[in-house]
Structures are given as C-alpha cells and as structure tokens.
Amino acid sequence: MTEHAVVIAGGGPTGLMLAGELALAGTDVAIVERRASQGLTGSRAGGLHSRTIEVLDQRGIADRFLSQGQVAQVGLFSLIPLDISDFPTRHNYVLGLWQNHIERILAGWVGELGVPIYRGRGVTGMAQDDTGVGVELSDGQSLGAEYLVGCDGGRSLIRKAAGIEFPGWDPTTSSLIAEVEMAEEPEWGIRRDSLGLHSLGRLEDGPVRVMVTEEHVGPTTEPTLRDLSEALIAVYGTDYGIHSPTWISRFTDMTRQAAAYRDGRVLLAGDAAHVHAPDGGQGLQTGVQDAVNLGWKLAQVVNRTSPESLLDTYHAERHPVAARVLRNTMAQIALRRPDARTKALRDTMSELLGMDEPRRRFAAMISGLDIHYDLGEGHPLLGRRMPDLNLVTANGPLRVFTLLHDARPVLLNLGEPGGFDITPWADRVQLIDAEYVGMWELPVLGAVTAPAAVLIRPDGYVAWVGDLSHLGLPDALTTWFGPPTAA
C-alpha cells in the first residue's frame, strides 16, 4: 500500500488549490483524479472574484490567471450589475476565465510543487480508524493516508462513505447549457419569457453556446441532444437544426450543505461540502477559499506543530461562509422568476442596488471581500482579510501579499523596530518590522484605525491586533501556530 500524509479525492480547482497549500508547507500530499488528463469537457465556472484573485496573489501566482483572462469591473446579483471599481483592493474587478483554463493553470503550479496525481482512477471506497484512512481506487490499488479530503463534487463518494448528512432543498428549476452546431440562423442574444432566462451566442467563429431553461426540472441523468432539442422547441418553436454537440450539461438550483465538514480523519471541501445555483459565480470561489483555510491548518496538524483540535476551526469558520452563499443564491433564483410580481420585486431590488451603500454591501458579499471569521471582540481587522499594503522595510519596499507567498504566517510590526521577540515561534512565524503611511480601508467598513501590529495567518486573515504591550499575542500564537518551542 502506498502511503501519503494526505490524500485528496478530486483534482478540480478546490483539490488542486488544497494540494498546492499542503505542498508549500512541506506536507506529503497526493491527488486522486478520475479524469485521465486535466482536460475538462463542458463549461463550469466562468471567472474569478476579487477575494479569490487576492488569494492567488498571496501565493504569487495571480499574474498567471490575469494574463489569460478578461477584466470586468462589474459583479452580478441575479444579473443586476454591481460596480466594484471603487473597492479598496488591487483587484477591484471580476476576471472572466473559463474553468478549464483555471484548472490548467492551477495544475501547472501544483506540478511545479511536485505533487503526484493518480490520474484515470477514482476513489471507490474508504475506511478510517484512529490512526489513518485506507483509500480504495478503481484500478484495485490502495492508498493509506493520515487524512483524506473529499473534493469530489456534489455527489461526493467521500461524504457519503463518511456518513455525513447533506441537508437542503431539492431543485425547483433546471437549465441546459451546451456548445452545438446549428443548421439555421438562430435568434441571437438573451430572452426572458414565462419559462425563465435563455441565451444563444456564437463563440468566435466556433460553435453556438446555448443556455435554455427547461419547462420542467430535468432528471439527474446526463442530458442528451434530444433533451436540448425539446427545450429549444419549447422556447423558440424550433431547435434550429442543432447537431454535432461538443458537450451538453445540466445545472439546477439544488441547494445543500454538509452538516459537518469533518468526520474524524475525513474532511470535505468545495462542492462536496456545499452545492447551490451558479448565480453570482460563487461556487468555485468558495471552494478555493475552503482549500486555503484548510490547507495550512491540516499541514500543521500533520507536521505535529498544532493539535488536532485546530481542524475544528475549519468547519467553524467556513460553514457559515457557505451557508451565506446558499442563502444569497436562493434569493437570486427567486428574483429570476418570470411572473409580474417577481419582476416588480426585481425592479425594486435594481433600484436599491443602484444606491451606494446597498451596492457596496452586496458586492462585497458576492466578491468575498467582506468575509469575517468570528475571532472575538477587538479591532475591526480581527478575523478579516489583511489589506495588501505597500510597506517600507529595511530591505526596501514590500507588498503585504508578497510576505505570504510561502504560506507562512507573519507578525507585522508597524511600531518601533525590534519591539517584539517571538523566538519560541521563530521557526514558524515571520517577524517583519515595517512602516506604512496611508489610510487603512476595508470593504464596507471603510477607514479603520491604524494598528501598531498585526498577526497574519497564512490564508491572509488577521488573527491578532495589538501593540508593543504584546497583550494576547502569546495566546494567539499558540492557538493558531502551536505551543512555543522550549528554550
């Protein structure tokens, strides 16, 4: 049996991001992926939001995505535009980039980090005990791991095998998306009618991209060309002679969330932990950010730096984030209903979201910039993302995000140089003396009081805010990065 410290089931964006995070921490991690290559048939997510781009920037790889995507300074809430160009972030935009490209770039990064990927095979079973997890693969091979993470999608075998409940709501609507050839010239553009929202558009001299809402919720089986033909005829009165599909896919507004993100040595992330309608484009973002929250914590437990109880903070922090995504996607679906009363509500919401304060609140929610982990009372920065400030240090100018490229925590001292001694944690935490001149501004909250010092976790969230009195700092260091090393 081949042994790894961590096995990840699923090599999509969440699994790849998690593998990269663990590899940066020196953890022996491997991915099991049923696809024989990273190639992705069909359309999944279509872009990256601000906070996800920031997360990639924290690891020094954002430019790989930016060079291949298309920038738009507008987010969407139930297709109502939300301008984010005035947000206090370097990445005040949405990056249009299809998931197949996102996965390809992430896979390249993970490959550079030396992570092995068992391709062309899936996980068929698993069993855990107090010492580890046995993982059975579809080719008959077995893997052993200290921890197994299910990043294997909404129908997650790992979640089912662990016996984790997946409560929520069944679908009320379904749509087909496809790339096909058409014998006849179609009605281009977006149409709204009594069934819902539909669109037809051509991809740069290539096939026609189709999205059509079905008259009835479709079955869970893979959709066929006939299904697409019938859906088009119901809306347009013709199927325009569709043929030669590149791919056909179905999505619904089914909304479910795992009751627990961890069962012993088995954890869940991404769609395995939460599924919802694609409105707002938040699914991939939430999964990638799950991975960045979990990665450093799991690495510290595996490396015996922190106790296993640190993993409990993963569910505590990420479950409420996804629950909020579920709520806002359900609201967006409700606003898309085609009846006259819903249209009146939609018009009212459009007017409301045209005002600055509601726009900022909803756009920060959709973009992930307002995420706040409950780390107790204190400075407004506590539990929120650290802004990417331009710092002045003894070694020259530095951006905060540059300090996080290796996924190591940072104690940033902005007061008197040499005011902190964290020798018992020096093997784990970087101590940086720096100066910053300028306003501290957070999304939604606006300007906040400049702190004298901040402790930044590897995921870019602030774990402690204080001054040279060090009040609470040893406790925060121990909580998040393990007990002090004996002198």
Side-chain angles (χ1 to χ4, degrees):
M1 179 187 292
T2 305
E3 299 280 346
H4 296 283
V6 179
V7 169
I8 298 169
T14 301
L16 290 167
M17 192 74 207
L18 179 58
E21 294 291 291
L22 289 164
L24 283 173
T27 304
D28 174 20
V29 56
I31 296 173
V32 178
E33 170 53 48
R34 58 181 174 76
R35 289 174 289 167
S37 72
Q38 200 61 49
L40 186 66
T41 301
S43 172
R44 303 291 197 278
L48 299 171
H49 283 308
S50 298
R51 182 55 191 156
T52 307
I53 303 169
E54 285 191 342
V55 161
L56 299 170
D57 199 354
Q58 289 173 184
R59 298 299 177 255
I61 58 174
D63 287 347
R64 305 185 187 195
F65 299 85
L66 295 174
S67 65
Q68 299 189 35
Q70 185 172 0
V71 168
Q73 287 180 311
V74 174
L76 296 172
F77 183 85
S78 193
L79 300 180
I80 300 169
L82 301 169
D83 181 13
I84 58 175
S85 62
D86 61 346
F87 272 28
T89 169
R90 295 180 195 274
H91 304 293
N92 54 350
Y93 49 79
V94 175
L95 184 72
L97 188 65
W98 291 112
Q99 184 170 326
N100 58 332
H101 299 299
I102 295 170
E103 286 196 16
R104 175 176 47 79
I105 297 168
L106 281 174
W109 175 57
V110 166
E112 293 166 15
L113 295 172
V115 176
I117 303 180
Y118 295 86
R119 292 199 179 277
R121 63 202 95 172
V123 174
T124 57
M126 70 90 186
Q128 65 167 316
D129 58 27
D130 292 341
T131 61
V133 188
V135 185
E136 301 298 325
L137 306 187
S138 56
D139 65 351
Q141 185 178 359
S142 297
L143 300 177
E146 290 184 48
Y147 289 91
L148 170 65
V149 186
C151 301
D152 52 340
R155 300 174 183 173
S156 172
L157 180 144
I158 305 302
R159 185 188 66 241
K160 294 171 184 174
I164 296 174
E165 294 183 5
F166 202 42
W169 296 267
D170 290 333
T172 64
T173 181
S174 65
S175 298
L176 296 173
I177 50 174
E179 286 180 10
V180 296
E181 299 293 343
M182 288 186 170
E184 306 165 22
E185 187 80 3
E187 174 191 316
W188 300 111
I190 296 174
R191 170 192 276 206
R192 285 180 182 275
D193 61 19
S194 60
L195 291 181
L197 187 70
H198 326 280
S199 70
L200 299 170
R202 187 173 291 284
L203 298 169
E204 299 178 355
D205 301 326
V208 175
R209 171 68 62 84
V210 177
M211 187 192 81
V212 58
T213 302
E214 296 181 277
E215 191 171 6
H216 306 287
V217 175
T220 56
T221 54
E222 290 297 315
T224 65
L225 189 62
R226 181 174 179 177
D227 291 335
L228 183 61
S229 171
E230 290 175 352
L232 285 168
I233 290 170
V235 174
Y236 296 96
T238 175
D239 66 2
Y240 299 110
I242 56 169
H243 63 92
S244 307
T246 308
W247 53 266
I248 306 173
S249 182
R250 175 181 281 117
F251 68 87
T252 76
D253 66 335
M254 182 173 71
T255 303
R256 296 186 179 278
Q257 185 175 21
Y261 282 15
R262 177 188 173 210
D263 176 70
R265 293 180 173 272
V266 178
L267 299 111
L268 304 175
D271 288 355
H274 40 75
V275 295
H276 50 83
D279 292 55
Q282 301 165 89
L284 182 148
Q285 330 297 322
T286 310
V288 167
Q289 292 172 49
D290 285 346
V292 175
N293 183 285
L294 174 61
W296 64 275
K297 296 173 180 177
L298 184 54
Q300 287 181 183
V301 172
V302 167
N303 296 339
R304 309 296 187 263
T305 303
S306 293
E308 191 178 348
S309 58
L310 181 63
L311 295 178
D312 295 335
T313 68
Y314 169 58
H315 173 97
E317 292 181 352
R318 293 304 298 173
H319 193 277
V321 171
R324 192 177 185 212
V325 171
L326 265 60
R327 287 195 299 272
N328 82 58
T329 52
M330 290 173 73
Q332 291 183 69
I333 285 291
L335 281 175
R336 285 209 282 110
R337 289 175 183 149
D339 62 273
R341 286 177 174 80
T342 303
K343 182 181 184 303
L345 176 60
R346 180 183 177 80
D347 291 344
T348 302
M349 281 295 295
S350 295
E351 184 178 347
L352 180 69
L353 293 177
M355 302 174 186
D356 267 358
E357 179 66 16
R359 170 186 64 85
R360 283 195 293 267
R361 284 185 177 273
F362 276 68
M365 174 180 66
I366 296 293
S367 65
L369 290 171
D370 74 340
I371 289 171
H372 179 215
Y373 299 137
D374 184 5
L375 304 188
E377 297 296 321
H379 192 281
L381 270 170
L382 189 63
R384 297 184 186 273
R385 55 177 276 288
M386 177 67 185
D388 187 23
L389 308 177
N390 289 315
L391 304 173
V392 177
T393 73
N395 297 319
L398 270 179
R399 288 199 293 134
V400 167
F401 285 3
T402 304
L403 299 172
L404 297 172
H405 283 185
D406 294 330
R408 290 186 62 209
V410 178
L411 176 59
L412 182 60
N413 174 29
L414 298 165
E416 181 183 341
F420 288 89
D421 179 6
I422 57 166
T423 301
W425 290 274
D427 58 331
R428 287 156 272 170
V429 181
Q430 306 170 74
L431 174 57
I432 303 293
D433 292 331
E435 294 179 15
Y436 174 71
V437 179
M439 184 173 65
W440 289 67
E441 188 178 3
L442 297 179
V444 181
L445 295 184
V448 298
T449 304
V454 291
L455 180 61
I456 310 167
R457 306 189 323 188
D459 57 1
Y461 288 83
V462 175
W464 172 85
V465 182
D467 53 33
L468 295 180
S469 72
H470 299 196
L471 184 65
L473 178 59
D475 288 343
L477 287 165
T478 301
T479 295
W480 297 110
F481 311 118
T485 302

